[in-house]
Amino acid sequence: MAAIPPTACAAHPTVTAGWRCEHCEALLCPACVEARRMGPVEYFACGGCGGTANVLLRHRSHRALRERLAGALRFPFTVPGLQLLIAVSGVLAVLRSLGGGLRVIKALPLTLALGVFWAAFFALVRGTARGDSEPESPGFTHLFRDNLQPGLRGLGVTMGVFLPALIRATLLLPPASGGEIFARLTHPLEALWVPTVWGDPFVWGLALVGLAWLPWALLLAATSQSLFSALNPLRTLACVRAVGRDAATVTGVFLLLAFLQGVMHWGAEVLLDLDVFLLPNLVAEALTSLVPFATASMLGLVLYVHGDTLGYLPARDFLEPTLGDATPHRAPPALREAPAPEADDPDTPNTAAARARQMDALAAAVDARDVAKALALYGDLHVLPRLKLSPSHHLFVGQAAAVEGDFPLSVKALEAAADTAPDDPTAPRALVLLARVQGEKMGNAARAEEIYRYILHRYPATEAARFAHSRLTSQA
C-alpha cells in the first residue's frame, strides 16, 4: 500500500477518500466502503463492486511540525509528564543532597544524578519519536549502560558544542597557578565571567553558534549515534537539510527555551538559599528540568515527523492512514456466538459435566502431545466452548490436523486460535497457518490473500506480518 495524497471520494467529491478498491480502483470514503468478516478475518470491501479495498496512506509530515509543536512543548504539564518530572526531580534532589563533604565523596552521587537526568532526557526523545503518549521511564538495570553512558554522552555533547567558545575564553584569561586551574575547572562559569571574556564579541559569537548546534547534536546522540558522530558538523548540516524549513523553527524555539532555562536556573538558585531540608532542592530540580523535558519532547517530535529522512527508521514506519482512525459506516456483523446450550437431559451423555470431562481430556491430550486422541476429542465436540480452551491448544490441534490432512478440522481450530484471544502472540501465528492451509492445501487463494492482508493490517510489527508481506509480494 503506497503513500497516496488525500483525494476526494468518487461518489462524494466533498469527502476525502480513505480507501481504494483493487478491482474497480474507485476512491472510497467511509460511506462507500464496508467492513466484512470471514471467520476471524476482518477486511475492507468496496460497496460498489465488492472488491478488496486497501487503506490509503500518507506521510506524517502532511501535518506540519509547527502545528504539532505546541502539544510537544506542553508535555511536562501533562499527567505523564508531571509524573516523570516529579520522579526524576525527586531522585536528583536526593542525590544532590548527598553530594556534600569531601570532593571525592561528592563526585559519586553527582555522577549518578547526571546519569539519571540524561537517561530520562534521551528516553523521552525516543519515546516521543515512537509516538508514545506516555513515554516509558528509563530502566536502570545496568549501571554503565543505563546511567553512566547516557550521562557521559549528554555531558560530552553539551561540552563539545561549546568547546570552541571555551577555548577562546580560556586563551583570554591570564596564566593561572595550580589552585586557580582547579578552580577554573570546577567553577568554569565563575572563572570565565570576567570583563576580558564577556567583553569579547568573538566569544559570544562562538557561544551562540554552539547553542544553535546543541539541539541537533542532542538529536543525533538520542538516536544512539557515537559522540564523535553527534559532534560532527557535517552530520548536523545533513540533519538541517533533511528537516528543511522546520529546522529554523526548531532552532529558534530551542534558543527561546535556552533563555527560559537561564531564568529557571536563577529561580532555582534563589530557592536553594532557603534553609529548609530537601524541599527547596526538589522544587529547584523540578524548575530546572521543565525546559529540558520540553526540549526532549520537541526533539522527539522532529524524529516522529522527519525520522525517515534522518535515517532513524524506514520510510514505511512514517505512513499513517489518510483518515486516521475513521472506520467504515457499515460494520461487519459480530462474530458468531456459540449457540446457547440446550437444557441438559439426564438420560443423554452430552451433559455439561460430560462436556467438561471431555474438555479436560482434550487439554490433557494436547499437553501430552497425543495427536490422535486430541484430534478425536476435538472433532467430537459438537458445541465447541472456545473460551474454555487456551489459544495454544487450538493452535496445536490446527497444526496437527493440517499435518494429518484433516484440513476442515485444521481450519476450524486455527480460526478458533485467532478468534479466542486476538491479542495473544499465538493469534498471528495461527492466521499464517490458516492462510497457508487455505491457499496451499485447499486451493482457496482468494481467502488466503484476504487473511494475509488482515495480518498486515492487524499485526503490522510481527514476524507474521513480514511473512504475509513476502507472500503477497511473491503473488503480485
Side-chain angles (χ1 to χ4, degrees):
M1 293 182 288
I4 301 175
T7 315
C9 171
H12 306 93
T14 59
V15 182
T16 301
W19 294 265
R20 181 190 292 273
C21 177
E22 283 188 355
H23 184 258
C24 66
E25 297 188 351
L27 295 173
L28 310 168
C29 70
C32 297
V33 72
E34 59 184 68
R36 295 180 180 176
R37 179 178 287 123
M38 295 182 68
V41 179
E42 183 177 314
Y43 64 99
F44 301 115
C46 174
C49 71
T52 301
N54 292 327
V55 177
L56 296 181
L57 303 176
R58 61 182 174 184
H59 197 275
R60 288 174 182 168
S61 58
H62 74 90
R63 182 183 173 198
L65 182 140
R66 277 173 286 187
E67 296 178 14
R68 307 174 188 257
L69 190 56
L73 295 176
R74 282 196 299 267
F75 172 77
F77 303 100
T78 63
V79 173
L82 288 173
Q83 291 174 343
L84 182 62
L85 181 68
I86 293 172
V88 173
S89 300
V91 174
L92 293 179
V94 172
L95 289 175
R96 292 188 191 277
S97 66
L98 297 175
L102 298 175
R103 289 190 176 94
V104 176
I105 299 175
K106 184 178 181 179
L108 179 59
L110 292 183
T111 301
L112 293 176
L114 186 71
V116 169
F117 171 80
W118 284 110
F121 182 92
F122 291 135
L124 180 54
V125 173
R126 291 188 289 268
T128 307
R130 291 191 300 268
D132 297 345
S133 58
E134 299 184 11
E136 296 181 2
S137 301
F140 297 105
T141 58
H142 191 280
L143 178 62
F144 179 76
R145 184 186 64 244
D146 300 331
N147 186 279
L148 297 180
Q149 190 177 54
L152 294 173
R153 185 186 297 270
L155 179 63
V157 167
T158 306
M159 297 294 294
V161 297
F162 292 112
L163 188 60
L166 292 174
I167 293 175
R168 169 66 179 176
T170 303
L171 294 176
L172 295 175
L173 295 175
S177 61
E180 292 176 341
I181 293 175
F182 183 80
R184 289 178 182 179
L185 292 175
T186 54
H187 301 85
L189 294 180
E190 295 178 9
L192 296 176
W193 195 252
V194 293
T196 55
V197 174
W198 55 258
D200 183 66
F202 196 48
V203 171
W204 283 105
L206 290 174
L208 185 60
V209 170
L211 196 60
W213 182 7
L214 183 56
W216 306 104
L218 290 174
L219 185 72
L220 290 170
T223 59
S224 300
Q225 298 284 339
S226 68
L227 184 61
F228 294 105
S229 296
L231 291 174
N232 186 343
L234 297 179
R235 294 296 304 274
T236 299
L237 291 176
C239 285
V240 172
R241 284 197 299 270
V243 173
R245 290 181 298 177
D246 287 336
T249 302
V250 171
T251 304
V253 172
F254 182 83
L255 294 176
L256 292 175
L257 290 174
F259 174 78
L260 182 59
Q261 179 69 351
V263 175
M264 292 294 187
H265 267 286
W266 176 81
E269 292 293 335
V270 173
L271 285 172
L272 292 175
D273 290 336
L274 299 177
D275 190 17
V276 180
F277 176 70
L278 197 59
L279 183 60
N281 290 31
L282 178 61
V283 179
E285 294 295 347
L287 281 177
T288 53
S289 297
L290 271 172
V291 171
F293 282 7
T295 302
S297 183
M298 178 180 69
L299 296 180
L301 177 63
V302 174
L303 288 177
Y304 179 78
V305 176
H306 297 290
D308 54 340
T309 59
L310 294 172
Y312 181 57
L313 288 173
R316 64 176 179 271
D317 293 345
F318 292 82
L319 300 178
E320 57 187 17
T322 300
L323 297 184
D325 296 330
T327 57
H329 292 172
R330 285 171 282 184
L335 286 173
R336 184 180 69 242
E337 301 290 341
E342 299 177 359
D344 293 336
D345 185 352
D347 297 328
T348 63
N350 192 27
T351 63
R355 287 199 299 272
R357 288 194 297 270
Q358 196 174 11
M359 293 276 300
D360 293 339
L362 172 59
V366 171
D367 293 337
R369 296 300 187 261
D370 189 341
V371 173
K373 186 175 181 180
L375 295 183
L377 289 170
Y378 197 95
D380 288 342
L381 286 173
H382 300 294
V383 180
L384 184 64
R386 292 181 174 182
L387 297 180
K388 294 185 179 180
L389 275 180
S390 70
S392 60
H393 288 174
H394 289 295
L395 180 61
F396 174 83
V397 172
Q399 291 173 313
V403 172
E404 296 296 325
D406 190 348
F407 302 126
L409 181 62
S410 176
V411 168
K412 178 182 178 182
L414 293 173
E415 286 183 347
D419 193 14
T420 301
D423 295 324
D424 191 271
T426 59
R429 292 174 52 202
L431 288 173
V432 167
L433 290 173
L434 178 61
R436 296 194 64 179
V437 170
Q438 290 281 5
E440 300 172 22
K441 303 299 182 182
M442 302 181 71
N444 192 346
R447 176 71 184 279
E449 181 180 348
E450 291 169 355
I451 298 173
Y452 283 136
R453 292 193 181 281
Y454 174 76
I455 293 171
L456 288 174
H457 172 72
R458 180 66 174 79
Y459 307 101
T462 61
E463 288 294 332
R466 284 185 278 274
F467 180 85
H469 181 267
S470 66
R471 285 305 177 97
L472 291 172
T473 304
S474 63
Q475 294 171 6

